[in-house]
Amino acid sequence: MKVALLTKKKNFEIVDEKINNKLKEDEVLVKITGTGICGSDLHFFRNGALGTMQPQFPLSLGHETGGIIIDRNKSKFKNYANVVIDPLDISSCKKIEKELCGCGLKYNLCNHQTYLGSHPTKGSFREFMVLKKSQLTLLDKNIDPKISSMIEPAGIAQYCIDRSMINNREENNILILGCGAISMLISSLLYSMGVKNITILDQKKDRLVYAKKHFKAKNLINLFLKKNINPKTNNFNYVFDLITNDMSFDYGIKAIRKSGKYIVVGIPERDDFIKINPHKLRIKEIDILNVRRSNVKFNRMQNIILKNSIPIHKLVTHYFKIEEIQKGFNLASDYKDKIIRGVVY
C-alpha cells in the first residue's frame, strides 16, 4: 500500500508498506477514503515540530479521517460499511466507564491514550489502516463519505462550545480569533444554538467572507495582529482563541468584558510559552478554559450536524490523491487558491 511520510520539513515522500492482514481480536482492517489536512499537521510540515516537541523523521501524519471496512474480523460491523474513524484510542485503559476512562478522567485526557498521527502512532495519510473496533463509528447514510473526515474537527468545535458552557438565557457577544475550519464550525454551531452575535477576526479577507456566507458569522474583523493593538470594543463575553500566540492573547484579553470566558483552542506553532498580562486577567476576573482535542462521541456529532444542517461539505474545498499530498500541503501551508480544508484520499 502507499503511505505518505514527512521525511523532512516541507517534504513528503510516498513509500510502499505491506498491509497487515494478521488482525488481533479487537482489530479491523479499513481502507482510508479521505484524511483532512489539519492545522497541527501543518505545524509539523512547516517546522518539523509542534512547539518544542520534535519527533524524529520520518513522520506519519493524519488524524481527520474516514474509511471503508475491508475486513470486519470479529467486530459487529459489516464489510464495506462506511465508518468515521476516531483518532483517539483508549482501548488499553482498563474498566472504561460511560463517561470516564479507567484513569477516572475524560476520554480525551486518558493517561493510556494513543492518537493517530501523534508520534509514535502512525497517521492516516495511507491507503489502509489496522484500527481498534472501538475507534470506528458507522457513518450516517445522510452524510457523504467524501466529507466524513470533517466530522472529527466538528467534534472539536462542539467540544469547545461544551467547555464554554454558554448561557443561552443571556445576550451573548462572541469573538473568534482566527478563521480556519474549526473557527467556522464553532460559528455555525453557535448560530444553531441561537447565538447570533458572532464576530470572527483574521488577516485573510477571503476566509472571512467565506465564513460569513456559509457559517453564519455576523461581523468580520480583517486585521493582522501585532503587539499593542487596541480593539474597538471590549464587550465580548466569550473569546475563542484559535491562534494562541502573544498577539492573539493580548488582543483577546483587551476585547473581553469583565467576568468573560476565554477558551484556548489553538496550539502555539513555534514556542511552548506565550506572554500574558495576569493583571488584565485578574482585574476583569476572566476564566481561562483549555481544550485538548475532542471529547464528543461521533454518533452525537453526526446527529448535531444533520439536525442543524451544519455545512461541513463547505469546509472541503480541495481534494488530493495521496501521490499529490505534497501539492496539498504546499497549498494549505501557504493559504493559496482559497483553500479551507484539503482532503487527501
Side-chain angles (χ1 to χ4, degrees):
M1 67 171 170
K2 295 175 183 176
V3 176
L5 296 177
L6 187 69
T7 56
K8 60 182 180 181
K9 286 194 290 186
K10 297 188 177 181
N11 187 77
F12 274 96
E13 292 184 15
I14 307 299
V15 300
D16 286 320
E17 288 186 7
K18 291 184 178 180
I19 300 173
N20 180 11
N21 290 317
K22 296 181 180 179
L23 302 179
K24 297 178 182 177
E25 186 173 354
D26 62 344
E27 291 180 337
V28 176
L29 179 63
V30 177
K31 176 177 173 55
I32 301 300
T33 54
T35 298
I37 300 174
C38 176
S40 60
D41 295 323
L42 292 173
H43 289 348
F44 283 110
F45 178 73
R46 288 192 284 252
N47 308 308
L50 198 63
T52 58
M53 185 181 74
Q54 295 180 312
Q56 291 183 340
F57 291 112
L59 295 176
S60 176
L61 302 176
H63 59 272
E64 298 178 354
T65 189
I68 298 175
I69 293 176
I70 300 301
D71 186 345
R72 62 186 289 272
N73 197 13
K74 298 179 180 180
S75 73
K76 64 180 179 180
F77 299 101
K78 295 180 180 179
N79 285 340
Y80 310 113
N82 287 295
V83 289
V84 192
I85 297 168
D86 191 342
L88 180 68
D89 175 21
I90 61 167
S91 59
S92 63
C93 192
K94 298 179 180 179
K95 298 180 181 179
I96 297 172
E97 302 294 338
K98 185 176 181 180
E99 298 295 336
L100 300 175
C101 69
C103 312
L105 300 169
K106 294 180 291 185
Y107 288 170
N108 61 310
L109 299 178
C110 177
N111 291 324
H112 302 282
Q113 68 173 272
T114 62
Y115 200 84
L116 296 186
S118 182
H119 187 77
T121 305
K122 293 178 179 180
S124 56
F125 289 125
R126 60 185 61 234
E127 290 186 292
F128 297 90
M129 288 202 84
V130 174
L131 297 158
K132 300 295 178 63
K133 60 185 180 183
S134 58
Q135 291 178 264
L136 307 180
T137 301
L138 279 175
L139 180 67
D140 191 286
K141 63 181 180 180
N142 294 304
I143 296 178
D144 187 342
K146 291 174 65 177
I147 59 170
S148 61
S149 57
M150 294 299 99
I151 296 171
E152 193 272 342
I156 294 175
Q158 181 61 49
Y159 187 49
C160 294
I161 295 169
D162 291 349
R163 289 281 286 143
S164 68
M165 297 181 67
I166 289 175
N167 186 351
N168 275 338
R169 291 171 297 192
E170 297 180 351
E171 184 177 345
N172 293 297
N173 196 9
I174 310 293
L175 174 62
I176 302 172
L177 299 175
C179 193
I182 293 176
S183 301
M184 295 183 193
L185 286 164
I186 291 172
S187 179
S188 188
L189 288 163
L190 285 171
Y191 189 88
S192 73
M193 293 168 47
V195 179
K196 308 301 182 186
N197 199 8
I198 303 166
T199 300
I200 300 185
L201 178 150
D202 201 279
Q203 62 178 313
K204 301 170 188 68
K205 187 175 181 179
D206 59 322
R207 286 197 167 202
L208 291 170
V209 171
Y210 199 82
K212 187 169 187 175
K213 181 178 180 180
H214 299 293
F215 293 90
K216 306 298 184 181
K218 180 180 179 181
N219 304 306
L220 309 176
I221 301 175
N222 185 202
L223 180 66
F224 175 75
L225 287 179
K226 53 186 178 181
K227 289 184 180 179
N228 300 319
I229 292 180
N230 291 314
K232 293 181 179 179
T233 177
N234 60 350
N235 196 37
F236 297 100
N237 55 335
Y238 294 88
V239 174
F240 294 85
D241 192 343
L242 281 292
I243 302 172
T244 314
N245 60 24
D246 291 347
M247 282 73 76
S248 69
F249 235 91
D250 180 60
Y251 186 95
I253 296 304
K254 289 176 180 175
I256 201 168
R257 72 172 69 157
K258 291 180 178 179
S259 296
K261 289 186 178 181
Y262 198 101
I263 301 93
V264 181
V265 188
I267 302 171
E269 181 156 355
R270 287 189 171 86
D271 299 314
D272 289 343
F273 299 95
I274 61 174
K275 296 178 181 178
I276 63 174
N277 185 337
H279 299 296
K280 296 290 185 183
L281 296 170
R282 177 180 58 83
I283 291 168
K284 291 186 176 182
E285 208 172 78
I286 304 304
D287 291 337
I288 297 182
L289 301 170
N290 286 282
V291 171
R292 190 188 190 205
R293 298 170 176 164
S294 171
N295 196 39
V296 177
K297 299 294 185 182
F298 282 1
N299 274 329
R300 178 192 170 205
M301 196 63 243
Q302 291 186 88
N303 289 336
I304 291 172
I305 289 167
L306 292 170
K307 179 182 177 181
N308 299 291
S309 300
I310 305 300
I312 61 172
H313 62 287
K314 291 294 184 181
L315 294 174
V316 183
T317 54
H318 294 67
Y319 289 92
F320 307 97
K321 295 179 180 179
I322 194 167
E323 299 91 343
E324 301 173 316
I325 192 169
Q326 183 71 49
K327 176 184 176 181
F329 267 78
N330 287 342
L331 283 178
S333 181
D334 295 334
Y335 305 102
K336 290 184 176 179
D337 199 27
K338 297 184 178 181
I339 189 170
I340 304 296
R341 249 325 184 253
V343 169
V344 177
Y345 66 96

